[in-house]
Amino acid sequence: MPDTLTVIEPATEAVLEEIPRAGADDVDAAVARAKAAFPAWRALAPSARAEVLHRLASRLEEAHEELSVLEARNAGKPIGDARGEMGMVIATFRYYAAAPERLLGDTIPVAGGQAFTVREPLGVVGLITPWNFPLTIAAWKLGPALAAGNTVVLKPAELTPLTALRFEQLALEAGLAEGVVNVVAGPGSTCGRRLVEHPDVAKIAFTGSTEVGRMIAAGAAQTIKRVTLELGGKSPNVIFADADLEAAAASAPAAVFGNAGQDCCARSRIFVQRPVVDEFMSLLDTAVRSIHVGDPLDEKTEMGPLISANQRETVGSFVNGEAPVAIRGQAPEGPGFWFAPTVLCPVDPGARAAREEIFGPVACVIPFEDEEDAVRLANDTIYGLSGSIWTRDGGRALRVARAIEAGVLSINSNTSVRVSTPFGGFKQSGYGRELGPHALDAYTEVKSIYYAV
Ligand code: NDP
């Protein structure tokens, strides 16, 4: 294997940077550094740990534009989106900076003494992250892990390591001690695997494909590691005939073509009640054709390229000769992994495009009859990450929200992710919750102490 990683810019296919490629030995060294740094980091007074995390958020604020441009170029995402994501990274550290002083326990009435619980950090935590939202997804793990007193080894995706490497420097500049945050940029098959097997790693927090998630859960079982998994999705966007169709059609494209569809929350199955399919499709047509696809650094751009040639090939396999292509947007010609936003309609719920996670700008429109049919179709998948319900009937909105088997739902909106609310999947979309107060549970152990009186 070469000893460098060639990082490509997806919009141009040109080399963005060559960086050293980490291997299993580098993971061992990083884990040893994290282990050595753990006692002092966990022993910091809660207010002192909070203070360091606030300093980190401030340092990230100073580097906001630099990180945004780096992420936009490396991941091929529109600069406006990248700025928004870096804003969320900063907000995540601010939110969890409040956590060290709020890691509360319980007092429990028992006979003969006093019982109470405390939350202990786990130790060294391994973070394995994907290429679609590189620093954002890392921050969802870094924030609560560090706030709870753990030290971390972060392995970013090989395709998008640059913001994670810059983050490691910024953390040192903000005053985090050497060894508290360690980044190893190398392949999943060597570095990721070693992190999963390493006896000194207490937990793995993973975001990526369901296939690799399965391997991680199996590998972690050998050392009874704690694992949280945020995996794939095939999320439903359910639009009833009584909905505000204009609003539903205006926001449906961003919900599936945002980040060029490379989003685990992508509402890629659009279920539309049969009487309004034609009206909805005509509104959607206008919205999809007006998506500006192009240079990620152009302020007007709403959708960039796919991450790689491989990804483009996979996505293309869903839009072959027999696919019912109803709407096709535009995309640039020439170098870059471009793919025009595409809507298939009507799609049979059993078709491959309706069942597999495409992870590209391809949406399936599937007609449905009534509420029961909508719920049945929405749940007919191995996944259960997010979803939306559009209707003016409040009772139905709540009934359907309770009936859909997914971790994050929105009503008359397509947004899923907020710093202060829990995020994660049902079924094969994974387990464990990120963000909000719930994420701290995944980075602490509950200890019960009894004091005899
Ligand atoms: P992967 O699941 O392969 O990659 C996610 C992370 O896991 C990367 O850091 C990767 O490292 C690492 N990894 C890969 N193999 C192992 C292993 N054996 N042990 C430990 N870590 C490992 O996703 P892909 O990048 O291959 O994308 C494939 C598909 O996964 C996409 O098309 C999409 O369907 C889905 N996906 C879902 C995401 C989500 O947010 N839920 C995010 C990304 C992908 P490296 O990349 O360096 O090899």
Side-chain angles (χ1 to χ4, degrees):
M1 222 181 239
D3 54 7
T4 55
L5 271 182
T6 305
V7 181
I8 302 289
E9 187 164 16
T12 59
E13 302 182 38
V15 174
L16 187 55
E17 224 172 291
E18 295 266 0
I19 59 168
R21 177 196 293 261
D25 291 351
D26 299 296
V27 173
D28 289 351
V31 172
R33 287 196 300 276
K35 190 177 175 186
F38 175 58
W41 179 245
R42 78 172 295 186
L44 267 189
S47 58
R49 209 181 310 130
E51 174 62 33
V52 177
L53 291 175
H54 274 301
R55 279 211 304 275
L56 174 57
S58 300
R59 188 68 196 92
L60 290 165
E61 250 158 22
E62 288 160 9
H64 191 165
E65 187 61 14
E66 175 204 344
L67 289 168
S68 304
V69 172
L70 197 57
E71 197 84 305
R73 293 189 68 188
N74 191 178
K77 59 180 73 227
I79 184 68
D81 291 6
R83 287 191 189 116
E85 288 174 28
M86 294 310 113
M88 187 186 202
V89 169
I90 295 159
T92 303
F93 285 102
R94 290 265 179 242
Y95 180 83
Y96 287 108
E101 294 175 290
R102 291 168 177 77
L103 278 174
L104 307 179
D106 299 309
T107 57
I108 301 168
V110 290
Q114 183 64 55
F116 61 98
T117 63
V118 288
R119 296 216 193 190
E120 304 286 17
L122 304 172
V124 178
V125 177
L127 315 176
I128 302 178
T129 52
W131 42 258
N132 52 346
F133 298 99
L135 193 58
T136 312
I137 288 178
W140 299 354
K141 302 176 191 324
L142 287 159
L146 294 171
N150 303 283
T151 54
V152 300
V153 178
L154 165 63
K155 194 214 86 64
E158 231 182 321
L159 296 172
T160 55
L162 299 183
T163 47
L165 289 165
R166 183 70 184 114
F167 175 86
E168 188 183 37
Q169 296 166 344
L170 294 168
L172 283 174
E173 288 167 24
L176 275 88
E178 193 94 32
V180 173
V181 172
N182 307 272
V183 177
V184 278
S189 53
T190 50
C191 290
R193 203 171 160 165
R194 180 67 185 143
L195 210 45
V196 172
E197 288 169 353
H198 203 298
D200 288 338
V201 174
K203 180 217 162 95
I204 295 288
F206 172 78
T207 299
S209 61
T210 295
E211 190 187 348
V212 173
R214 263 185 217 113
M215 288 199 289
I216 286 180
Q222 299 310 308
T223 45
I224 317 291
K225 274 188 185 52
R226 280 73 185 127
V227 179
T228 41
L229 300 174
E230 202 270 277
L231 308 175
K234 190 77 188 168
S235 295
N237 187 2
V238 182
I239 297 155
F240 285 95
D242 70 347
D244 179 344
L245 281 192
E246 280 184 19
S251 83
V256 54
F257 302 136
N259 212 42
Q262 303 165 121
D263 181 345
C264 47
C265 286
R267 271 93 165 134
S268 53
R269 291 182 302 150
I270 307 176
F271 295 105
V272 185
Q273 200 162 10
R274 202 172 290 280
V276 293
V277 169
D278 289 346
E279 188 185 346
F280 178 80
M281 286 302 287
S282 126
L283 291 165
L284 192 64
D285 190 276
T286 314
V288 172
R289 287 184 204 283
S290 67
I291 298 173
H292 186 88
V293 183
D295 175 6
L297 295 182
D298 181 340
E299 301 283 344
K300 291 192 301 297
T301 294
E302 294 167 297
M303 192 183 117
L306 292 168
I307 190 71
S308 64
N310 271 347
Q311 195 65 16
R312 184 170 56 185
E313 199 180 314
T314 309
V315 174
S317 74
F318 290 90
V319 189
N320 57 25
E322 287 148 36
V325 175
I327 308 171
R328 198 92 213 246
Q330 48 87 28
E333 307 272 318
F337 308 120
W338 304 103
F339 200 96
T342 305
V343 180
L344 309 179
C345 178
V347 179
D348 184 287
R352 185 173 156 247
R355 305 205 72 77
E356 293 181 21
E357 182 176 44
I358 299 175
F359 229 60
V362 180
C364 297
V365 174
I366 305 171
F368 70 90
E369 306 303 333
D370 55 19
E371 186 176 318
E372 192 185 340
D373 195 31
V375 170
R376 180 184 61 78
L377 288 167
N379 287 338
D380 183 20
T381 169
I382 61 165
Y383 298 111
L385 190 52
S386 55
S388 293
I389 301 139
W390 292 81
T391 174
R392 287 189 169 99
D393 177 339
R396 172 154 65 198
L398 292 177
R399 276 195 308 276
V400 175
R402 292 299 301 270
I404 290 182
E405 299 156 355
V408 194
L409 285 158
S410 38
I411 297 167
N412 296 335
S413 157
N414 287 324
T415 57
S416 311
V417 185
R418 288 176 181 77
V419 173
S420 57
T421 58
F423 175 74
F426 280 27
K427 303 199 284 190
Q428 293 190 38
S429 288
Y431 44 72
R433 290 294 176 270
E434 307 205 280
L435 297 172
H438 301 74
L440 293 159
D441 294 344
Y443 294 96
T444 50
E445 291 279 19
V446 174
K447 183 183 279 174
S448 173
I449 300 175
Y450 172 69
Y451 196 156
V453 295

